[in-house]
């Protein structure tokens, strides 16, 4: 869906929490703020992120503000406050067109933040959801990559029903996650088929023939920053560097990533897990923690060691390392649907989709836009399948 600059809200110039004409604000007061205005309430924002009904590290201020600053300064921050003035909901938003036709407000989800669940106070789900629905005005509200079975999706759908707005879910898919099972230490390898488990063990032994192999989880602020610089180099030397999609390929994405890792590591919520051969990294994965959820955000490996399956080995080790922390209940792979590597390793799934909340009463323009949106999604899926088939057919011919 195309994005244009988000129009200024008449509330956006009023400081958060301020009374209008000396009167208390409505029970679910909505404001659309610039990032600078939202920062004025950063303590309340952090508090909301900590207690949110569903964790979303990508909407924490230490992640979202650098993302807006470096990736898309047109993004605004929609906030909802309860009757006492406390922040009860927050999400980044952009103006868009549903199916390139109908006016819409879209919660901002991007390649570096693949989760659209708004931050919502669990004690005021109804009030928060009512306010979020209203941020679309007379258009549609589009929420990509929303967990469909969670309390936030349920509250939003109920709020839409109360408001007389139609709801549709498009682009349903599943993503690999890893859930804690009981109090025992996680052992991801034990869940693999016997042949696969033995082959991975053999590959690790062969890697060990080249030198001392260690698995390291960096949590200290200074060590995290050092390991992240190693990651940037490793990713840049991979196919992502050749394709121009590595974080260090562009100054903006490199600056954004460094700032995010710095912010989160200052709060002790970054884990960088690496497989090391001597003092050199073979594979590195950068992980974030928010509440009881960890996220394996970015992974890179040295292509010279591809025969040892470094990516698969690392994800198995990272999942177990993260779940060794009793405060972490699940690990989100942040991977695309049907990912060939992680889907074969982690068997748990989370159902995601794009929730589309239409205008009051629906209307012809909304229905046409929704149909066009479904067509776009189907076309992308077809193109992805064709690319995969071409890769299978011609990949072996590549040197």
């Amino acid at each position: 869906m195309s994005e244009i600059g988000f129009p200024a809200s008449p509330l956006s110039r009023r400081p958060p929490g301020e009374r209008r004409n000396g009167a208390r604000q409505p029970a679910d007061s909505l404001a659309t703020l610039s990032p600078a205005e939202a920062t004025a309430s950063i303590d309340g924002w952090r508090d909301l992120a900590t207690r949110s009904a569903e964790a979303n590290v990508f909407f924490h201020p230490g992640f979202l503000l650098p993302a807006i600053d470096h990736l898309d300064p047109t993004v605004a921050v929609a906030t909802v406050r309860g009757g006492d003035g406390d922040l009860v909901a927050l999400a980044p938003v952009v103006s868009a067109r549903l199916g390139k036709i109908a006016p819409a407000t879209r919660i901002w989800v991007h390649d570096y933040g693949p989760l659209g669940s708004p931050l919502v106070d669990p004690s005021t789900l109804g009030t928060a959801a009512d306010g979020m629905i209203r941020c679309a005005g007379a258009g549609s509200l589009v929420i990509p990559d929303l967990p469909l079975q969670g309390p936030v999706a349920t509250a939003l759908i109920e709020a839409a029903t109360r408001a007389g707005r139609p709801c549709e879910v498009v682009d349903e898919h599943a993503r690999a996650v890893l859930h804690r099972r009981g109090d025992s230490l996680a052992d991801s390898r034990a869940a693999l088929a016997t042949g696969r488990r033995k082959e991975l063990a053999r590959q690790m032994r062969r890697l060990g023939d080249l030198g001392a192999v260690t698995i390291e989880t960096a949590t200290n602020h200074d060590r995290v920053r050092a390991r992240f610089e190693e990651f940037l180099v490793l990713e840049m030397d991979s196919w992502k560097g050749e394709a121009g999609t590595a974080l260090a390929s562009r100054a903006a994405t490199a600056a954004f990533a460094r700032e995010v890792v710095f912010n989160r590591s200052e709060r002790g919520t970054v884990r960088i897990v690496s497989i090391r051969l001597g003092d050199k990294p073979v594979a590195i994965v950068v992980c974030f923690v928010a509440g009881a959820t960890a996220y394996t955000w970015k992974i890179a490996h040295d292509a010279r060691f591809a025969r040892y399956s470094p990516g698969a080995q690392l994800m198995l080790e990272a999942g177990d390392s993260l779940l060794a922390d009793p405060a972490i209940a699940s690990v989100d792979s942040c991977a695309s649907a049907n990912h060939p590597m992680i889907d074969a390793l982690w068997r748990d799934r989370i159902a995601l989709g794009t929730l589309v909340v239409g205008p009051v009463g629906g209307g012809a323009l909304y229905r046409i836009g929704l149909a066009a949106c479904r067509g776009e999604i189907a076309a992308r899926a077809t193109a992805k399948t064709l690319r995969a088939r071409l890769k299978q057919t011609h990949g072996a011919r590549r040197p």
Side-chain angles (χ1 to χ4, degrees), residues 212-262:
V213 175
T214 56
I215 310 296
E216 179 195 86
T217 300
T219 58
N220 171 270
H221 173 65
D222 291 333
R223 178 61 64 87
V224 162
R225 293 182 69 184
R227 293 300 183 234
F228 186 63
E229 292 302 320
E230 285 186 338
F231 170 84
L232 291 176
V233 173
L234 199 63
E235 187 187 46
M236 194 65 184
D237 287 341
S238 72
W239 65 268
K240 291 183 180 180
E242 295 179 1
T245 59
L247 287 170
S249 296
R250 294 189 298 128
T253 53
F256 148 72
R258 285 190 172 102
E259 188 173 345
V260 165
V261 170
F262 179 88

Side-chain angles (χ1 to χ4, degrees), residues 300-337:
H301 69 269
D302 190 328
R304 294 174 298 175
F305 300 97
R307 70 183 66 181
Y308 307 107
S309 301
Q313 306 278 10
L314 180 60
M315 290 304 287
L316 289 166
E317 297 291 345
D320 292 350
S321 173
L322 291 165
L323 290 181
D325 182 343
I328 296 175
S330 62
V331 186
D332 186 340
S333 69
C334 298
S336 58

Side-chain angles (χ1 to χ4, degrees), residues 177-189 191 217 271 273 287-289 291-296 314-333 345-348:
V177 296
L178 190 63
H179 294 311
R180 175 183 299 284
R181 287 176 168 76
D183 297 328
S184 58
L185 291 177
D187 183 3
S188 301
R189 295 176 188 272
T217 300
R271 312 281 187 271
V273 185
C287 313
F288 298 124
V289 177
T293 305
Y295 306 80
T296 53
L314 180 60
M315 290 304 287
L316 289 166
E317 297 291 345
D320 292 350
S321 173
L322 291 165
L323 290 181
D325 182 343
I328 296 175
S330 62
V331 186
D332 186 340
S333 69
L345 302 178
W346 294 2
R347 301 304 172 87
D348 300 323

Side-chain angles (χ1 to χ4, degrees), residues 61-132:
F63 192 105
L64 182 56
L65 290 172
I68 295 173
D69 186 32
H70 295 287
L71 305 181
D72 188 351
T74 70
V75 175
V77 181
T79 62
V80 181
R81 293 181 178 274
D84 57 3
D86 288 342
L87 196 61
V88 297
L90 181 146
V93 291
V94 292
S95 184
R97 289 278 171 179
L98 179 62
K100 299 180 181 178
I101 295 172
T105 296
R106 185 171 69 89
I107 287 185
W108 189 48
V109 172
H110 51 94
D111 289 344
Y112 306 107
L115 188 63
S117 183
L119 301 180
V120 174
D121 185 335
S123 67
T124 57
L125 270 173
T127 297
D130 288 340
M132 271 286 134

Side-chain angles (χ1 to χ4, degrees), residues 103-177:
T105 296
R106 185 171 69 89
I107 287 185
W108 189 48
V109 172
H110 51 94
D111 289 344
Y112 306 107
L115 188 63
S117 183
L119 301 180
V120 174
D121 185 335
S123 67
T124 57
L125 270 173
T127 297
D130 288 340
M132 271 286 134
I133 293 297
R134 293 210 329 273
C135 79
S140 298
L141 176 64
V142 180
I143 311 177
D145 288 329
L146 178 69
L148 298 178
Q149 298 172 353
V152 174
T154 299
L156 289 167
I157 292 170
E158 291 175 350
T161 301
R162 286 193 295 271
R165 291 174 176 259
C167 267
E168 297 283 345
V169 174
V170 299
D171 193 24
E172 293 186 57
H173 59 280
R175 185 155 82 199
V177 296

